[in-house]
Amino acid sequence: MPLEVVLIDYARDPLLKLYGAYRTCYTPKTPPEVWRDIGDGTVSPEKVRDFVVERLKTGHVSPLEQVVFWFGISGVSRALSHQFVRHRIGISFEQQSQRYVKYREDRLEYVTPKSWEKSPGMAEEYDRLMAEITRVYQLAVEKGIPAEDARFVLPNATPTNFQVMVNFAELLHVADLRLCWRAQWEIRHMVALMRREVVRVVPELGSHIQPKCGEKRMGYCDEPLKDWERCPIGKVRPHKEQLFQLFARHKAGNLEPLGEAELRRVEDEGNEP
Ligand SMILES: Cc1cc2nc3c(=O)[nH]c(=O)nc-3n(C[C@H](O)[C@H](O)[C@H](O)COP(=O)(O)OP(=O)(O)OC[C@H]3O[C@@H](n4cnc5c(N)ncnc54)[C@H](O)[C@@H]3O)c2cc1C
């Protein structure tokens, strides 16, 4: 069963919602006046987009809670779902029940990590165990053991499905953690597919869905130095220890200021997709 993520829906006109929310904070105008300006075209779509894009560069994140996305997610393992449901704020989950849904297939479907397939002989061991679990599970159901008890033999590899509602502030936070190279591969893959869906419909927002070291997020890594050294993104993103060292050198006057050309190069590199 392949991992699949679909964007079911999203709150109408997310950029306008963000414009209205941010504008309300920074203008003497009342919200009805702000929204009249939007409605009668006094504020063009370009101005809305530019204003929002500028605000997204700031630490003012609470307006992002006013933009909501709904996702349908299928074919993820219970190992993933245990991690996913740990997120508590600004996210709401509905997950397929193992009490009310019995696994009827001849061969219970399950998620197989690639690492088992790469290790000689281990994929066969994995399949053999899954087949045995399937046999015992189905026997238990046939013998009248309720699904809620039969499921006790099911593995972390069992696939599950979600409908999820998440606001944009929390989606960014989830991506901060779960797109990080230190996150588990499957949840990283799922969040990457969520990002792809948002990029498809609102690229201005979707491009901000990055690991926390991304140039539109913190811009540096705060994970253990050893992990940063092993991380492929570590080749292009600084570690916080390096930033502290640079800052100490700067304070001590031991750092040459960058020239115009160098500054531009650093900025260009930082803006790489
Ligand atoms: C690489 C990695 C390894 C992990 N390993 C383990 C592990 O070994 N064992 C384990 O149990 N868990 C582990 N976790 C899960 C982790 O501990 C969190 O439960 C999970 O990431 C949920 O994130 P969150 O707390 O930021 O919750 P979210 O709900 O996503 O939080 C959203 C925001 O609200 C804040 N927030 C939420 N609740 C409160 C509160 N009550 N008070 C104040 N602020 C709050 C959060 O700090 C965050 O800023 C791991 C996570 C990652 C990414």
Side-chain angles (χ1 to χ4, degrees):
M1 175 181 283
L3 194 169
E4 195 180 359
V5 174
V6 293
L7 182 67
I8 297 167
D9 203 357
Y10 58 104
R12 206 150 39 95
D13 300 327
L15 292 183
L16 288 184
K17 298 289 183 343
L18 287 178
Y19 178 86
Y22 278 122
R23 201 74 189 135
T24 297
C25 298
Y26 303 126
T27 179
K29 289 185 179 179
T30 65
E33 288 168 334
V34 169
W35 280 92
R36 256 195 304 278
D37 286 350
I38 295 171
D40 66 17
T42 307
V43 182
S44 68
E46 291 73 34
K47 185 155 184 223
V48 166
R49 199 190 50 235
D50 292 350
F51 184 77
V52 170
V53 166
E54 281 309 304
R55 299 286 83 69
L56 286 171
K57 293 176 184 166
T58 71
H60 188 180
V61 294
S62 57
L64 307 183
E65 294 165 21
Q66 299 201 16
V67 168
V68 178
F69 296 92
W70 286 262
F71 293 95
I73 296 170
S74 53
V76 294
S77 72
R78 282 256 165 181
L80 180 149
S81 72
H82 289 314
Q83 301 171 74
F84 198 21
V85 299
R86 291 293 300 280
H87 294 284
R88 308 157 275 174
I89 308 286
I91 189 163
S92 169
F93 304 94
E94 296 308 324
Q95 183 176 6
Q96 183 183 51
S97 167
Q98 286 187 334
R99 295 184 65 207
Y100 302 119
V101 179
K102 288 180 193 150
Y103 294 93
R104 291 180 198 282
E105 294 82 17
D106 291 347
R107 178 173 157 279
L108 184 78
E109 290 191 66
Y110 48 87
V111 177
T112 306
K114 283 203 171 48
S115 52
W116 283 81
E117 287 165 355
K118 280 185 200 149
S119 183
M122 291 310 287
E124 292 72 23
E125 291 287 344
Y126 192 87
D127 288 342
R128 229 184 337 268
L129 179 61
M130 295 299 150
E132 179 60 6
I133 288 173
T134 303
R135 187 188 68 77
V136 175
Y137 174 82
Q138 285 185 331
L139 182 64
V141 171
E142 277 163 32
K143 296 276 183 194
I145 294 175
E148 69 174 18
D149 292 340
R151 69 174 165 169
F152 275 60
V153 299
L154 295 177
N156 272 336
T158 311
T160 188
N161 306 321
F162 282 106
Q163 180 167 313
V164 179
M165 183 182 82
V166 57
N167 73 46
F168 189 52
E170 174 64 358
L171 183 55
L172 289 177
H173 173 73
V174 170
D176 278 347
L177 302 183
R178 306 298 185 177
L179 287 179
C180 171
W181 181 72
R182 285 199 68 222
Q184 183 246 356
W185 62 268
E186 190 187 16
I187 197 165
R188 206 165 61 219
H189 181 40
M190 181 194 73
V191 176
L193 294 179
M194 293 167 82
R195 170 177 58 191
R196 191 177 70 181
E197 288 293 275
V198 177
V199 166
R200 195 167 54 76
V201 295
V202 210
E204 296 86 349
L205 300 187
S207 65
H208 286 255
I209 302 175
Q210 296 184 316
K212 58 190 168 178
C213 65
E215 82 284 355
K216 292 187 171 174
R217 303 300 294 155
M218 283 193 324
Y220 64 88
C221 174
D222 64 353
E223 295 293 337
L225 197 59
K226 280 211 168 327
D227 290 299
W228 172 81
E229 282 164 358
R230 291 166 51 220
C231 169
I233 311 176
K235 309 276 180 293
V236 291
R237 302 276 178 242
H239 190 268
K240 74 174 173 190
E241 295 301 336
Q242 295 174 312
L243 297 182
F244 290 153
Q245 284 171 18
L246 271 179
F247 188 61
R249 281 175 55 198
H250 165 70
K251 292 268 280 183
N254 293 336
L255 205 60
E256 287 289 312
L258 294 183
E260 271 293 305
E262 279 174 307
L263 267 177
R264 252 199 312 280
R265 187 177 52 76
V266 170
E267 203 173 286
D268 288 349
E269 280 175 5
N271 286 331
E272 276 171 11

